[in-house]
């Protein structure tokens, strides 16, 4: 292996440490206790695990964590009423509605009912527009985590060729916007892209957010490039049929022979996502109180 490993687990711990410092400062200097409300509708097992982890880490950095667990058949009106209540609660600085929502609920309507200033997932249409026009916004957590790791590794990203594989609203598109904001030359590839391998080989920064296990092979990677693997895919274990294994969208074995730096799965982008949710919550608490934003925790 030639690539250096970008350790997302360690980086996330550093981010959480910075968040905790800011939380202490907000409490002691200003009497402000940042609060994050997470709303979970239904009993999707993966969502329950995410919500539990979010709550635990929120408390660990010293913030107030509020969880609202609603039945799977909760009506849209009841969910909107809860969001309304959280929007007007001054003790709540961040609101996250865990996705996916049950089919009878309109996700866009629900997300767009969150006060944009409290939209710590960065999915509200106002935040999407602000990010797209280079204005101050709440930035989606996963791409924000990727950006932080890239800035840390490269310093300036200006002038680098970036290829983002995947054009989802939660990862691919905001990732491309953030890289553009840092003056990369950005290409977005997707399922209809022609000769995607050749396109990826142009990339100084290659971000894979596809949801296809180990799709990006070593010969797609430009020698020395930085590879950010957003993918989280569970596949059958190669040697033990009773087990499964987590892999990314990048074939780590071959890509790490060519890349200059690479994020592993697990332990790369994944841990950064919750760390950035906490960062966004402390940012929202600062903004809500007209205080300077924490340095290094925003885009
Ligand atoms: P998504 O909404 O399913 O989007 C996948 C994107 O990949 C689409 O734009 C799709 O193109 C593109 N794609 C699919 N097959 C392709 C192919 N063969 N060649 C090129 N592009 C292809 O997925 P997502 O929500 O962005 O998530 C992507 C991955 O990241 C998943 O593995 C997910 O679990 C993971 N993820 C991880 C985190 C984290 O915290 N680390 C957070 C979010 C997501 P089209 O638009 O043309 O269909």
């Amino acid at each position: 292996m030639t690539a250096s490993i970008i350790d997302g687990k360690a980086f996330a711990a550093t981010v959480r440490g910075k968040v905790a410092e800011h939380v202490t400062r907000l409490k002691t200097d200003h009497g402000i206790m940042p609060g994050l409300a997470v709303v979970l509708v239904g009993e999707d097992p993966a969502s329950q695990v995410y919500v539990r982890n979010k709550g635990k880490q929120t408390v660990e950095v010293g913030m107030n964590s509020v969880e609202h667990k609603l039945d799977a058949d909760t009506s849209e009106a009841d969910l909107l009423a809860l969001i309304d209540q959280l929007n007007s609660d001054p003790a709540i600085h961040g609101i996250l509605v865990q996705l996916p929502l049950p089919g009878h609920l309109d996700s866009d309507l629900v997300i767009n009912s969150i006060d944009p200033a409290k939209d710590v997932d960065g999915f509200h249409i106002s935040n999407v527009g602000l990010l797209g026009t280079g204005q101050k916004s709440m930035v989606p957590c996963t791409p924000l985590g990727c950006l932080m790791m890239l800035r840390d590794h490269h310093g300036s990203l200006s002038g680098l060729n970036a290829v983002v594989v995947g054009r989802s609203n939660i990862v691919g598109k905001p990732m491309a916007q953030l890289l553009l904001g840092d003056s990369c030359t950005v290409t977005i590839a997707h399922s209809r892209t022609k000769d995607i391998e050749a396109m990826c080989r142009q990339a100084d920064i290659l971000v894979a957010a596809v949801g296809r296990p180990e799709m990006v092979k070593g010969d797609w990677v430009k020698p020395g490039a930085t590879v950010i693997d957003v993918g989280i895919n569970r596949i059958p274990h190669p040697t033990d049929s009773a087990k499964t294994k987590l892999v990314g969208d990048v074939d780590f074995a071959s890509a790490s022979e060519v890349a200059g730096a690479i994020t592993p799965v697990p332990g790369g982008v994944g841990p950064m996502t919750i760390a950035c949710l906490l960062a966004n919550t402390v940012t929202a608490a600062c903004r809500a109180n007209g205080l300077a934003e924490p340095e290094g925790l925003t885009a």
Side-chain angles (χ1 to χ4, degrees):
M1 190 180 76
T2 58
S4 62
I5 301 294
I6 299 177
D7 184 346
K9 204 172 161 192
F11 201 100
T14 305
V15 171
R16 288 195 304 274
K18 283 187 195 167
V19 170
E21 276 174 29
H22 283 286
V23 170
T24 303
R25 207 167 303 151
L26 279 174
K27 285 198 254 190
T28 51
D29 296 355
H30 304 282
I32 298 163
M33 174 66 153
L36 172 64
V38 177
V39 180
L40 173 64
V41 186
E43 279 158 18
D44 176 63
S47 294
Q48 285 179 328
V49 173
Y50 290 139
V51 167
R52 206 165 34 243
N53 285 339
K54 284 168 188 171
K56 186 167 165 275
Q57 293 190 31
T58 304
V59 172
E60 279 168 4
V61 295
M63 298 198 284
N64 191 23
S65 165
V66 179
E67 285 176 22
H68 290 272
K69 294 184 177 165
L70 308 182
D71 292 339
D73 61 358
T74 297
S75 71
E76 203 160 80
D78 284 350
L79 179 55
L80 294 177
L82 171 62
I83 291 173
D84 223 28
Q85 182 198 314
L86 295 170
N87 281 342
S88 48
D89 184 345
I92 296 297
H93 302 95
I95 303 170
L96 179 148
V97 176
Q98 184 67 43
L99 299 176
L101 287 171
H104 67 285
L105 299 170
D106 179 344
S107 299
D108 288 338
L109 179 74
V110 170
I111 296 303
N112 290 326
S113 73
I114 298 172
D115 176 350
K118 297 188 179 188
D119 168 40
V120 281
D121 250 346
F123 296 159
H124 190 290
I125 193 71
S126 296
N127 282 316
V128 175
L130 290 167
L131 177 62
T133 50
Q135 300 179 69
K136 191 185 278 189
S137 65
M138 296 305 302
V139 176
C141 303
T142 300
L144 177 59
C146 297
L147 183 75
M148 283 183 186
M149 291 194 287
L150 284 166
R151 283 179 175 168
D152 181 68
H153 184 75
H154 282 274
S156 170
L157 306 182
S158 179
L160 296 178
N161 279 342
V163 173
V164 179
V165 189
R167 56 175 164 177
S168 73
N169 290 334
I170 63 166
V171 189
K173 284 182 199 155
M175 185 76 250
Q177 296 285 8
L178 288 170
L179 291 166
L180 204 52
D182 270 29
S183 298
C184 290
T185 303
V186 183
T187 306
I188 305 178
H190 47 77
S191 66
R192 308 297 171 90
T193 299
K194 290 183 182 140
D195 201 355
I196 196 167
E197 295 91 330
M199 186 170 284
C200 289
R201 273 193 295 273
Q202 302 297 314
D204 303 307
I205 292 171
L206 179 57
V207 181
V210 187
R212 297 199 179 266
E214 301 175 322
M215 184 184 86
V216 175
K217 308 294 180 197
D219 61 0
W220 297 31
V221 176
K222 178 180 173 180
T226 301
V227 177
I228 303 289
D229 189 354
V230 181
I232 301 178
N233 309 287
R234 198 165 278 285
I235 61 166
H237 197 278
T239 54
D240 184 346
S241 61
K243 289 188 181 161
T244 58
K245 183 183 173 207
L246 274 191
V247 296
D249 291 338
V250 176
D251 176 23
F252 185 86
S254 62
S256 59
E257 293 296 336
V258 188
I262 189 165
T263 58
V265 177
V269 174
M272 286 298 287
T273 297
I274 298 185
C276 287
L277 172 68
L278 305 176
N280 277 349
T281 305
V282 85
T283 298
C286 291
R287 287 180 186 169
N289 289 281
L291 299 170
E293 289 175 16
E295 256 177 56
L297 295 179
T298 52

